[in-house]
Amino acid sequence: MSLGTAEDDPGSEIHIPAEIDWHMLDKSKFFYLGAALFSGVSFTLYPMVVLKTRQQVSSSRFSCLNMSCAIMRYEGLRGFYKGFGTSLMGTVPARALYMASLEVTKSNVGTALLELGFSETTAVAVANAAAGVTSAMAAQLVWTPVDVVSQRLMVQGSGGSKNILGNHNYESYRNGFDAFRKILCADGARGFYRGFGISILTYAPSNAVWWTSYSMVHRFIWGTFGSYMSKGKTESNDNLSGFRPNSKTVVAVQGLSAVIASGVSAIVTMPLDTIKTRLQVLDSEEHGRRRPLTFVQTVRNLVKEGGLPACYRGLGPRWASMSLSATTMITTYEFLKRMSTKSQ
C-alpha cells in the first residue's frame, strides 16, 4: 500500500507492506498458526486479566500493587493463573471465529464501499468498524461461557487474599469442570450466558472503536511521518519517492497505534465492562438461596460503592492489558497473515 505524504507533491510517497486480504490467505495455516501464537499471548497477559477482574468485583478500592502483593503472598504465582486452563480451551475456537469474521467483513465491506464511490479513508474506517462489531459478536458466542467459568475461578482467593475481595457471595469451585457442573446444576444452560447481552454491548462497540481508532491513528502517523520526511528531503534536494521503512519502524508504528486505540477503547467502554464482569461473577442471596444479580442491582451496588469512579476500578490493568494484548496481537496478527499468504 502506498500512502501519499504531501498534497503538493503527489510523487512523494512512503511504501509500507501491502494489505493482505482474506482471499490471499492459506486458511489452514492461518488458523493453526494463529491458535499457537495467540495461546502464547494469552499466557503472557493472563495475570493482568486476573488483577482487572478482582479489582472490578471488589467492594473496596485497592491498588494493583496491593492486590498483586496479596495474591503473591497468600496464593503464590499460581494465583495469577486461576482459570487459565478453562480460558485457554476457549481461545482456539473463539480466535478462529474472531479472525474469520474480522477478515471477511473488512474485505467485503471495504470493497463494496470503494465500488460505491466512497474515499479510501472513509471505506477503511467504516470497514474496520463493521469488522470490529461482527467479529466481537461472533467470538462472544464462545467467549461468554468461557468467561463465566474462568472469571469465577479467578476471583477465588485463599487466606488473607479473600479479605481484599470484600464480602461478596462466592461459590467454591475445585476446578473448571467443577465450576461447569455447579453452574449447570444451579442455573441450567442459561447460566453460561449470564451477561451475554452486556458482553455484546461492551465488546461490539469496544472492537468498533478500537479498529476504527487503530486504522485512523495508523494512517495519521504514516501521513505525519511522510510529511516530515518529505520536507527534509525537499530541503536537501532529495527525492522521497520509493522510501521503504524497515520492519522495526513498521512494528513501532503498529505498536503505537495499538496503544492509543486501546486507551480510547478502554476509557469509553470501562463502565460496561465492570457491569458485565459483576453480572457474570457475583450472586445475591435471598432467604438463603443464591440468585444471579440483575443489571439494575449491579448498577445500584456500584452507585453505593462510589458511583462512576467505582465503574473505573481496574482501568489501569485493563488499559495495560489491552495495550500489551493489542500491540502483541496486531504485530502477531500481521506476522501471521504474512506467514499464511498463499504461494503464488
Side-chain angles (χ1 to χ4, degrees):
M1 178 173 65
S2 297
L3 294 177
T5 58
E7 292 181 0
D8 57 346
D9 187 4
S12 297
E13 56 184 23
I14 294 178
H15 296 282
I16 60 176
E19 180 72 18
I20 297 173
D21 291 325
W22 177 248
H23 67 275
M24 300 166 64
L25 297 174
D26 179 329
K27 308 304 187 293
S28 297
K29 186 185 290 186
F30 181 67
F31 288 126
Y32 284 123
L33 282 175
L37 289 170
F38 286 111
S39 293
V41 172
S42 297
F43 178 82
T44 304
L45 301 175
Y46 196 78
M48 290 187 188
V49 179
V50 172
L51 276 176
K52 174 196 76 84
T53 303
R54 291 200 179 193
Q55 282 192 308
Q56 287 179 317
V57 302
S58 175
S59 57
S60 303
R61 184 170 184 172
F62 291 95
S63 68
C64 292
L65 181 60
N66 289 339
M67 192 75 75
S68 300
C69 290
I71 294 173
M72 185 59 74
R73 180 179 178 184
Y74 296 105
E75 302 170 60
L77 190 61
R78 292 180 61 185
F80 290 100
Y81 284 93
K82 284 190 172 180
F84 178 69
T86 302
S87 178
L88 191 60
M89 287 176 63
T91 295
V92 177
R95 282 292 181 189
L97 276 172
Y98 184 92
M99 292 188 295
S101 301
L102 181 74
E103 287 300 322
V104 170
T105 305
K106 191 160 56 171
S107 178
N108 291 337
V109 173
T111 301
L113 290 173
L114 287 173
E115 290 176 352
L116 289 172
F118 287 90
S119 67
E120 183 183 354
T121 302
T122 301
V124 168
V126 175
N128 276 280
V133 171
T134 57
S135 59
M137 293 177 70
Q140 282 310 304
L141 293 171
V142 176
W143 267 123
T144 298
V146 172
D147 265 351
V148 168
V149 176
S150 63
Q151 286 178 343
R152 291 187 179 212
L153 296 172
M154 286 180 200
V155 300
Q156 288 198 124
S158 61
S161 66
K162 284 184 178 180
N163 299 328
I164 208 168
L165 291 174
N167 57 357
H168 291 298
N169 295 305
Y170 297 109
E171 181 70 71
S172 179
Y173 307 109
R174 292 192 301 274
N175 50 47
F177 291 109
D178 184 48
F180 179 89
R181 180 181 62 81
K182 287 182 176 178
I183 294 170
L184 186 62
C185 291
D187 303 322
R190 290 180 59 187
F192 296 106
Y193 281 91
R194 281 173 64 170
F196 179 72
I198 195 71
S199 292
I200 295 296
L201 289 175
T202 300
Y203 290 118
S206 176
N207 270 265
V209 170
W210 193 93
W211 281 104
T212 304
S213 301
Y214 173 79
S215 65
M216 293 176 69
V217 171
H218 189 256
R219 293 174 70 86
F220 175 77
I221 291 174
W222 280 120
T224 304
F225 180 71
S227 296
Y228 174 78
M229 291 293 295
S230 179
K231 289 178 182 178
K233 293 292 183 179
T234 300
E235 291 174 2
S236 60
N237 296 319
D238 252 338
N239 186 14
L240 181 64
S241 181
F243 175 75
R244 298 179 185 276
N246 59 35
S247 58
K248 290 182 179 179
T249 304
V250 172
V251 170
V253 171
Q254 290 174 343
L256 179 59
S257 302
V259 170
I260 295 172
S262 297
V264 174
S265 181
I267 291 170
V268 170
T269 61
M270 188 68 198
L272 287 173
D273 188 65
T274 299
I275 294 170
K276 174 197 75 72
T277 301
R278 289 194 169 210
L279 281 173
Q280 291 178 331
V281 172
L282 302 182
D283 293 315
S284 61
E285 191 166 331
E286 298 177 9
H287 310 296
R289 186 176 178 182
R290 293 178 182 274
R291 293 182 180 276
L293 282 170
T294 66
F295 180 86
V296 174
Q297 287 175 320
T298 303
V299 173
R300 187 182 296 133
N301 289 342
L302 283 167
V303 170
K304 288 179 181 177
E305 293 171 20
L308 188 60
C311 295
Y312 280 88
R313 285 179 189 155
L315 176 62
R318 185 170 186 241
W319 190 338
S321 175
M322 285 182 68
S323 296
L324 288 172
S325 176
T327 302
T328 309
M329 181 273 291
I330 199 66
T331 52
T332 302
Y333 190 61
E334 293 297 335
F335 171 75
L336 170 64
K337 286 168 69 175
R338 299 187 192 289
M339 288 285 289
S340 306
T341 306
K342 292 176 182 177
S343 299
Q344 299 297 326

